[in-house]
Amino acid sequence: MNQFIPPTYRMSLTVGAHSARHIRRIVRSLLDEWGLTELTDAVELGVTELVANVVRHVPGRRCVLLVLRSAAGVRVEVADGCPQLPCIPAELSPEAEGGRGLVLLDAVVDKWGVGPAAGGGKTVWFECVR
């Protein structure tokens, strides 16, 4: 019996200040290949925010990016070795230079969350559906 395995893309990397631009290009290409171009803006913004959090908060800046095609759309996961969980600040001052990434993520994706990663650390994920 043949079992359908949805397309996936996995990349282990050390991210820096300009990594998100390159990762967005890869994600855009995947979404185009999978016929999900209508999700491009939301997925690119989500990837940018998750990668920026790794750059800012993860010692060593190592992470694993996983992009999974599903029948409903796409799921993106970013796993890292840092056990500190991200959170949405209860209150942000208008002058705050950070803290808005997860607020933006929540506004543009259909669902997101965070949980422990296999082997330690955490996985932050989001889903965008058609």
Side-chain angles (χ1 to χ4, degrees), residues 111-130:
K111 193 168 30 168
W112 72 275
V114 60
K122 67 181 168 302
T123 299
V124 184
W125 59 270
F126 67 85
E127 295 177 356
C128 293
V129 298
R130 297 178 138 196

Side-chain angles (χ1 to χ4, degrees), residues 88-105:
I88 295 178
E91 207 174 293
L92 278 171
S93 98
E95 295 81 32
E97 291 187 23
R100 290 180 178 80
L102 293 177
V103 174
L104 285 171
L105 182 70

